[in-house]
Amino acid sequence: MTTKYTPQELAKHLATGLLSFPATAFTADYDFDEAAYRKHIEWQSSYDVAGLFAAGGTGEGFSLSVDEFPQVVRAAVESSRDEVPVLASAGGSTKQAIANAQAATEAGAEGLLVLPPYLTEVDQEGLFNHLDAIASSTDIALIVYNRANAIYTPEILQRLADKHPHFIGFKDAIGNIEHLARVRAALGDRLFYLGGLPTAETYALPLLKMGMSTYSSAMFNFVPEFALKFYDAVRAENEPEVSRMVRDFVIPYLDIRDRKHGYGVSIVKGGLNVVGRSVGPVRPPLQDLSEQDLADLDALVKTVQVSA
């Protein structure tokens, strides 16, 4: 599939709808299960979703080998409905992130989410050099992920935006309101703003006021109707409905997610299991939901399926 959007067109498109990170399918032996993954992408892209990010955090991109990464991205690109663009991720060292960027470009991805550099503390000039090198290696759209050891100042974001027209977006996983206000004041409509806090639905309505018109929904993987209904309520600023859905589903979901470290990904694959669309286990060092946790999630999902 050839690129359908310019970076600027892609930014406008992504800003108007819900986004998600598809889980990557693995066999019982932890090999990439391409057939199951393609089936999952076909199902996910059949809904009115604005974009899918392959090989991201929920997609266990951190566990993919050098050879598997382009296989996953290409399978997503080829299996997604034409109207739903596929983006990929670029992480690790600068050299590895450049390799990801080039592989994703060759595989047909329309954009990249640039993850923080791997396990190293850097200053702002180092972050600029990291992003500058990645941006210089490809012409597809770039979104930066503001989290962990990669907290970008407005000044660095402005330098990147001035130098690289295909730098289009800012995804935030920190939730520092003052920092968001400063970024928005400096960059304005030059970027689009994407919510990326864990289980983004929890924060979606208040962050809408900060200019974040969209967010990445992990639960879209297994309850897409609910996720889209929730997003519509957020965009309509229907506070009573959002509050009801948070109370009845999101908070109980968080309670299960928080029982063990790493369950943020595991609960997504658990959800796919309970709706009859399994994509296999999570790879170590993550661990699958326990039988009790899976049973609790099953009961919770049934309440959504009935009410939705």
Side-chain angles (χ1 to χ4, degrees):
M1 183 174 64
T2 57
T3 301
K4 301 182 299 297
Y5 299 96
T6 66
Q8 289 69 36
E9 291 170 343
L10 183 63
K12 291 179 181 179
H13 175 78
L14 296 177
T16 61
L18 186 63
L19 308 174
S20 190
F21 286 64
T24 301
F26 299 126
T27 67
D29 295 327
Y30 304 119
D31 293 325
F32 173 46
D33 189 341
E34 184 168 342
Y37 183 65
R38 285 178 177 271
K39 183 178 179 181
H40 182 53
I41 295 293
E42 289 171 3
W43 181 56
Q44 293 278 277
S45 70
S46 71
Y47 288 93
D48 187 20
V49 63
L52 297 174
F53 289 73
T58 304
E60 298 177 78
F62 49 83
S63 78
L64 298 177
S65 70
V66 173
D67 293 332
E68 288 173 328
F69 177 83
Q71 293 173 6
V72 170
V73 177
R74 180 170 286 105
V77 169
E78 293 176 353
S79 303
S80 178
R81 181 165 57 91
D82 285 349
E83 292 78 8
V84 180
V86 170
L87 297 87
S89 64
S93 66
T94 302
K95 186 173 182 179
Q96 180 182 343
I98 289 172
N100 286 158
Q102 294 175 341
T105 303
E106 186 176 345
E110 298 201 38
L112 286 168
L113 177 65
V114 181
L115 306 176
Y118 178 69
L119 286 180
T120 184
E121 299 301 324
V122 294
D123 63 16
Q124 290 297 305
E125 194 64 25
L127 287 175
F128 175 83
N129 292 336
H130 179 69
L131 263 295
D132 182 41
I134 298 167
S136 298
S137 74
T138 182
D139 59 359
I140 62 175
L142 297 182
I143 301 167
V144 300
Y145 201 174
N146 190 70
R147 67 174 297 172
N149 58 332
I151 308 301
Y152 298 93
T153 64
E155 293 76 16
I156 288 299
L157 295 172
Q158 187 66 65
R159 283 176 61 189
L160 289 165
D162 289 344
K163 184 172 181 179
H164 299 288
H166 57 300
F167 167 40
I168 64 166
F170 178 82
K171 180 178 181 180
D172 180 67
I174 301 299
N176 183 319
I177 300 301
E178 179 180 335
H179 184 249
L180 292 176
R182 290 179 179 276
V183 170
R184 283 277 294 162
L187 279 298
D189 293 335
R190 171 61 181 82
L191 302 178
F192 91 96
Y193 303 90
L194 163 62
L197 285 158
T199 309
E201 281 83 358
T202 317
Y203 314 90
L205 188 56
L207 288 180
L208 179 68
K209 300 294 186 179
M210 297 298 299
M212 291 190 165
S213 62
T214 187
Y215 53 88
S216 55
S217 173
M219 64 180 63
F220 178 82
N221 271 274
F222 61 97
V223 283
E225 295 92 348
F226 174 85
L228 288 167
K229 183 178 179 182
F230 191 100
Y231 178 74
D232 288 343
V234 169
R235 290 302 301 267
E237 299 186 47
N238 185 343
E239 186 171 352
E241 180 68 357
V242 171
S243 295
R244 182 192 69 79
M245 297 172 86
V246 167
R247 180 194 68 230
D248 294 348
F249 184 82
V250 177
I251 289 178
Y253 176 87
L254 296 177
D255 289 341
I256 299 171
R257 183 204 69 184
D258 292 344
R259 291 176 185 174
K260 291 183 181 178
H261 292 299
Y263 260 15
V265 177
S266 308
I267 197 171
V268 171
K269 286 196 166 177
L272 283 161
N273 284 338
V274 303
V275 300
R277 290 183 171 273
S278 176
V279 293
V282 293
R283 276 180 170 172
L286 299 180
Q287 56 187 321
D288 292 311
L289 298 190
S290 70
E291 290 186 8
Q292 184 59 60
D293 295 336
L294 195 63
D296 292 343
L297 180 60
D298 188 16
L300 179 62
V301 168
K302 282 183 169 61
T303 68
V304 169
Q305 291 173 326
V306 170
S307 62

